[in-house]
Amino acid sequence: MKPISYILTWLLPALAAWPLAGFAETIRVSDQDEYQAAVKGVAPGDIIELANGTWNDFEILFKGEGTAEQPITLTAEEKVKVIISGKAKLRIAGKYMVVSGLEFKYGHTPTRQVITFST
């Protein structure tokens, strides 16, 4: 078998089947504007990481379409070092969405629920 035939027969189909997990990214955001921009472009496997500190008056809409193999994650730079405070709530919309490491403290919700699963 000639080398080019080998490449066309085995290597190209293998590359085409390669999962896109390697292209997932971690997006660290430092303020609400950066968060809004990041969440608009999330893809399966992406992680949005909120920078440590207190996020005041932050009404979070965490929306996306992850997969079972590649959920979309919203997390803290360091667990419990990201505090959501003031007028705050978290709305989760989509499929295969994971939230971890956030702490809601010293605040109130503008609605009856702090966390909801809807837009």
Side-chain angles (χ1 to χ4, degrees):
M1 185 181 288
K2 295 181 181 179
I4 193 75
S5 298
Y6 179 78
I7 290 172
L8 293 175
T9 304
W10 299 104
L11 186 58
L12 288 178
L15 288 175
W18 189 311
L20 296 177
F23 298 106
E25 62 180 308
T26 298
I27 307 157
R28 178 166 305 157
V29 296
S30 299
D31 60 40
Q32 292 183 38
D33 290 334
E34 288 180 3
Y35 172 80
Q36 297 301 333
V39 80
K40 286 180 184 175
V42 292
D46 284 351
I47 299 167
I48 298 177
E49 186 178 87
L50 301 182
N52 289 345
T54 300
W55 292 66
N56 287 310
D57 300 329
F58 192 17
E59 296 185 41
I60 305 167
L61 174 56
F62 183 43
K63 185 176 180 178
E65 295 290 327
T67 66
E69 298 79 24
Q70 296 181 302
I72 299 170
T73 303
L74 173 63
T75 191
E77 180 179 351
E78 295 178 73
K79 284 187 178 183
V80 300
K81 290 194 176 182
V82 171
I83 298 169
I84 311 299
S85 181
K87 182 179 168 185
K89 69 178 178 179
L90 169 62
R91 293 178 295 154
I92 303 169
K95 295 180 182 175
Y96 298 99
M97 310 294 283
V98 177
V99 177
S100 69
L102 308 181
E103 183 173 345
F104 287 80
K105 192 173 184 180
Y106 308 120
H108 65 280
T109 179
T111 61
R112 294 178 60 123
Q113 300 86 18
V114 175
I115 300 172
T116 58
F117 296 92
S118 70
T119 55

